[in-house]
Amino acid sequence: MQTVAIVGTGLIGSSFGLALRRAGFSGRILGVSSERSLQAAIECRAIDEGATLESAASSSDLVYLSQTISAIIDTLPRLAHCLKPGALVTDAGSTKRTILQAAAPLGDAFLGGHPMAGKASRGASGAEAALFDGRPYILTPSSPDQMNLPHVRSFCDWIQRAGARLVVLTAAEHDRLVASASHLPQLLSTTLASTLEHSADPAAAASVSGPGLRDMTRLALSSHDIWKDILETNGDEIAAALAQIEDHLAVLRRDLSGPAAESSFAAGRDFSLRLRPGHQD
Amino acid sequence: MQTVAIVGTGLIGSSFGLALRRAGFSGRILGVSSERSLQAAIECRAIDEGATLESAASSSDLVYLSQTISAIIDTLPRLAHCLKPGALVTDAGSTKRTILQAAAPLGDAFLGGHPMAGKASRGASGAEAALFDGRPYILTPSSPDQMNLPHVRSFCDWIQRAGARLVVLTAAEHDRLVASASHLPQLLSTTLASTLEHSADPAAAASVSGPGLRDMTRLALSSHDIWKDILETNGDEIAAALAQIEDHLAVLRRDLSGPAAESSFAAGRDFSLRLRPGHQD
């Protein structure tokens, strides 16, 4: 791998560039983005220089699409005609079925990806070489065999050297799992916060709040323009996850002093502990 | 104020003792609790010595009830006959209407309270003098006039010297507000986590999770034995808050790609920013 093109040099793309450098990548890193975003990525040393999509794609061994989902879907067909032979295209989009459909013409040259990493700040200025450290990095090959291809194995090596933990899923498995584990938490945070904002006295609710409410409304800082594409491309799985939560809340509401509450607390604690190995009271 | 009795020397009670000391209180602090809990509170210097409820109440100027709600309700009638004249009884229970009813025989000698502070760990071993720093401390007088009584004013002074921010509400206002701002976040966290625990593959959901899910399931670590009393004594307000969230989730679910989602994100972000003054993207 001599040359890498990062298309979309925001937080994830720029962090990927920095993580590659930290992992020992000494080749060229090209950026494809707006002028302002390229400038920020050059300043933080995430990329070496800017380029057009076509010139970057025709000279790169890896094309890393870290744009919004809809921009990735727009970019994919433009790559079919300018890709360097043997190159790999991958993406960092938060849903995978729609993107894999759009990438079908690229065949084995495309590997779906989703690094489960991020932070509240956006843009290259927040980029960190350590962003992927210990985080799951989901890959969604179009077939199990794709994982054995040389350019895919080389990419997997770099991802692991960048500190991430590889998880291989089908696109459908991915979309179902993140609907529950990522999209649902976001929508619960947003709905909790918007319900409080529309309550009789949101300032009073804020004034008596503790660290619990603060935790529970951190995700609600996210803006709709980031989530629009996710809600559109994973609507069926998200709606199913929401319907299930509505059911469980209704069961709990009707039995607040009974066994439903007790078993919900027990199971909830069990799951919470899965995310906190070694937790002690 | 010469002598203080802390009844229930767990996290809150012991932190109150430490906060009083840090604020300059040089009188005696008695503890009323189990032998083991008293030992831990003495070791961390939250109290000077243990005592029975009757002897502590008859010699103290302030009786601070930091037990569970049901234990507070059991303790209140026992105080009526042994309280030192002019003493104030206050509590740190998480709901207020039921406790105020139980305290009615004490008249102006009782002032309801609820420090909006806490942490995941329980017991005196986690106690901190700084636990109340900058946190809201809600007081729920039985009448507005009660706030002007000398023993109440003295207590308010100590609370503020302990670093807390006083908020005065009626018991009904308190219970409605905390149903939304505290009990609802807890039940959403618990229900999210229990739903994931009961999903097809909870280990997979945990393995692809990011910091967002971790935040959203921290409250789910709480055990039912702490929440049982809250759910029982604030069930009506909690049920109303849950029903509202269910409605809002259903509206969102039916319009994931439409204006409902967009306005929910905008209002949610506005509320989240109320808890983060000075936040910048």
Side-chain angles (χ1 to χ4, degrees), chain A residues 116-118 120-122 135-136 138 165 167 169 177-178 180-182 184-199 201-224 227-228 231-232 234-236 238-246 248-254 256-258 261-277 279-281, chain B residues 116-118 120-122 135-136 138 165 167 169 177-178 180-182 184-199 201-224 227-228 231-232 234-236 238-246 248-254 256-258 261-277 279-281:
Chain A
M116 304 301 289
S121 63
R122 293 161 69 176
R135 303 298 323 145
I138 302 174
R165 189 160 51 77
V167 177
L169 298 171
L177 215 48
V178 296
S180 295
S182 166
L184 183 59
Q186 172 64 50
L187 294 180
L188 286 180
S189 180
T190 289
T191 303
L192 171 63
S194 69
T195 297
L196 287 165
E197 183 65 17
H198 288 128
S199 67
D201 193 346
S207 81
V208 301
S209 71
L213 184 61
R214 208 182 137 88
D215 276 2
M216 292 293 289
T217 56
R218 184 181 68 81
L219 290 177
L221 284 175
S222 305
S223 67
H224 182 254
W227 278 86
K228 189 174 178 300
L231 300 178
E232 267 176 22
N234 206 25
D236 53 349
I238 294 173
L242 283 173
Q244 197 174 30
I245 282 281
E246 289 165 45
H248 291 179
L249 289 172
V251 168
L252 181 64
R253 172 168 51 79
R254 294 191 200 102
L256 282 171
S257 302
E262 189 165 358
S263 71
S264 188
F265 270 84
R269 186 174 153 83
D270 286 345
F271 186 81
S272 190
L273 287 171
R274 289 179 187 271
L275 306 184
R276 293 159 175 85
H279 172 87
Q280 305 216 320
D281 273 319
Chain B
M116 303 301 287
S121 63
R122 294 160 71 177
R135 304 298 324 147
I138 303 175
R165 188 160 51 76
V167 177
L169 298 171
L177 214 47
V178 296
S180 295
S182 167
L184 184 59
Q186 172 65 50
L187 294 180
L188 287 179
S189 180
T190 288
T191 303
L192 171 62
S194 69
T195 298
L196 287 165
E197 184 65 16
H198 287 129
S199 67
D201 193 345
S207 80
V208 303
S209 71
L213 184 61
R214 207 182 137 87
D215 276 1
M216 292 293 289
T217 56
R218 183 180 68 79
L219 290 178
L221 285 175
S222 306
S223 67
H224 182 254
W227 278 85
K228 188 175 181 299
L231 300 178
E232 267 178 23
N234 206 24
D236 54 347
I238 294 173
L242 282 173
Q244 197 174 31
I245 281 281
E246 289 165 46
H248 290 178
L249 289 172
V251 168
L252 181 64
R253 172 168 51 80
R254 295 191 199 102
L256 283 171
S257 302
E262 189 166 357
S263 70
S264 188
F265 270 84
R269 188 174 152 80
D270 286 346
F271 186 80
S272 190
L273 287 171
R274 290 179 186 271
L275 306 185
R276 292 158 176 84
H279 172 87
Q280 305 217 320
D281 276 320

